Amino acid sequence: MHAARRTVSTAVLLALLAAGSAHAQSYPSRTVQIFNPTQAGATTDILARVLANGLASRLGQQFVIVNRPGAGGAIGTAAVARADADGYTLWFGAVYTLSVLTKLKTTEAGYADNALVPVCQTVSNAMVIVVRNESPYKTLADLVKAAKDNPGKLNYGHQGAGSIPNLSVEEFLDNAGLKINSIPFRGDPAVITALLGDNIDVGGLVQGTAAAARDKLRILGIFAEERHPGFPGVPTVKEQGYDVAPISFGGLMAPARTSEPVIARLAEACAGAAKDEAYVKAAKAGGQPDNYFADRKVFGERLARDIAAKDRLLKKMGLAR
């Protein structure tokens, strides 16, 4: 009796494997949608569209971008998390929506931090610490000394509580043992305006935004493992003695229940598309570093570390559930 059951179970397993393999070989057989949780025209949207063209040329079907912004990216991410896990609804964006939005007290994301699985990383945005050109702080060491000599007297601006620039600076302050007051603004442009108006001492910005205003700002440090090619003369925060290198990274992901053969097929196509001349050009224009790409294994490892790190930091800041 038990032997018969084992035989049936084995037969069922083999049938499922065969069905999965057949599905992967025929995938995709129709149009694939890639949801982007940001507005059309944003950096990730531009990169998503270029990547979609590369995927289409390799897999023989159309890949279309669906912009679904709202709630900081939670709406578009939730739509994919709830979608059928058949490879025809994918996601492209920054993993902030998984590592941060699922933890915040003020957010009901509607999905868990493991709702999506990596296909390939193709986005890596560094954060920076900046001051206005007229600031007395010429280096990060100058800022650290001033903050230590005047605890709680300085302030820094960022694009909102729980944003990656906010969390990056807070991680640095924690590592350095500093107290600098946090002031939220509605986006990076507002932070720059406040800096230039001498209303705040320091700003935490996305590197690409700082690059657009580089004639008015001084970058004291970049949050990254290595220097950015667009700012070769600017040392990383890590180089300057503070072991923090948070970045906003992301790329192509799929619902967690998507079959392994389909993920593998997408990953192979994505690796090629991310190295196409068109994508390399778009990435450079969008301020991406040379090492923006990572395969799904490395992407997954980075995501796991980011989820754990953000959970610890948000709890320490009193922002997590």
Side-chain angles (χ1 to χ4, degrees):
M1 183 69 170
H2 293 302
R5 285 178 181 172
R6 283 198 297 271
T7 301
V8 171
S9 297
T10 301
V12 170
L13 177 61
L14 290 173
L16 289 172
L17 291 173
S21 177
H23 175 54
Q25 290 172 8
S26 63
Y27 173 85
S29 59
R30 54 186 169 86
T31 297
V32 178
Q33 292 186 318
I34 302 177
F35 279 64
N36 182 273
T38 62
Q39 294 180 336
T43 299
T44 54
D45 175 64
I46 294 170
L47 293 176
R49 292 176 187 279
V50 179
L51 187 74
N53 290 336
L55 293 171
S57 68
R58 286 169 171 78
L59 295 176
Q61 290 290 340
Q62 188 177 15
F63 283 70
V64 299
I65 304 302
V66 178
N67 294 97
R68 190 66 62 83
I75 292 177
T77 305
V80 178
R82 298 176 188 137
D84 291 337
D86 54 9
Y88 291 95
T89 304
L90 307 175
W91 179 93
F92 186 96
V95 299
Y96 161 86
T97 64
L98 297 173
S99 61
V100 175
L101 295 187
T102 57
K103 313 294 182 184
L104 292 177
K105 290 180 180 178
T106 56
T107 302
E108 186 55 55
Y111 54 88
D113 58 21
N114 62 352
L116 305 179
V117 293
V119 174
C120 73
Q121 178 189 312
T122 64
V123 177
S124 180
N125 292 310
M127 305 299 117
V128 295
I129 296 180
V130 302
V131 294
R132 56 189 170 280
N133 280 337
E134 299 77 21
S135 170
Y137 312 128
K138 307 298 182 184
T139 66
L140 190 61
D142 291 340
L143 174 63
V144 170
K145 184 178 185 306
K148 285 184 175 179
D149 291 344
N150 304 277
K153 297 293 180 66
L154 303 183
N155 51 60
Y156 81 93
H158 54 83
Q159 61 179 237
S163 66
I164 298 301
N166 172 220
L167 298 180
S168 298
V169 176
E170 287 295 330
E171 190 172 348
F172 159 66
L173 296 178
D174 181 59
N175 187 275
L178 303 177
K179 171 61 178 175
I180 299 180
N181 298 317
S182 163
I183 301 180
F185 290 86
R186 290 188 176 183
D188 280 357
V191 175
I192 293 175
T193 299
L195 266 176
L196 299 181
D198 199 15
N199 296 315
I200 54 175
D201 302 294
V202 188
L205 299 173
V206 177
Q207 176 272 326
T209 307
R214 63 195 309 164
D215 58 326
K216 301 174 182 177
L217 302 174
R218 179 185 303 124
I219 300 178
L220 301 183
I222 297 180
F223 291 105
E225 294 291 343
E226 55 190 47
R227 295 195 182 195
H228 195 285
F231 303 91
V234 179
T236 66
V237 172
K238 203 167 188 177
E239 279 181 79
Q240 299 179 74
Y242 305 97
D243 192 17
V244 290
I247 59 171
S248 176
F249 64 99
L252 190 66
M253 303 186 76
R257 305 170 310 283
T258 306
S259 71
E260 166 60 24
V262 168
I263 294 290
R265 185 160 168 75
L266 281 167
E268 182 181 8
C270 188
K275 296 169 188 174
D276 280 345
E277 182 179 352
Y279 194 89
V280 172
K281 184 178 179 180
K284 186 174 182 179
Q288 298 294 298
D290 294 337
N291 61 346
Y292 60 80
F293 175 80
D295 63 28
R296 63 176 174 141
K297 180 177 182 295
V298 174
F299 187 10
E301 291 169 350
R302 287 176 178 168
L303 176 59
R305 289 196 299 270
D306 192 57
I307 288 171
K310 294 298 188 296
D311 186 54
R312 288 193 299 270
L313 185 58
L314 289 167
K315 284 178 179 175
K316 185 166 187 175
M317 294 169 66
L319 298 176
R321 293 188 182 89

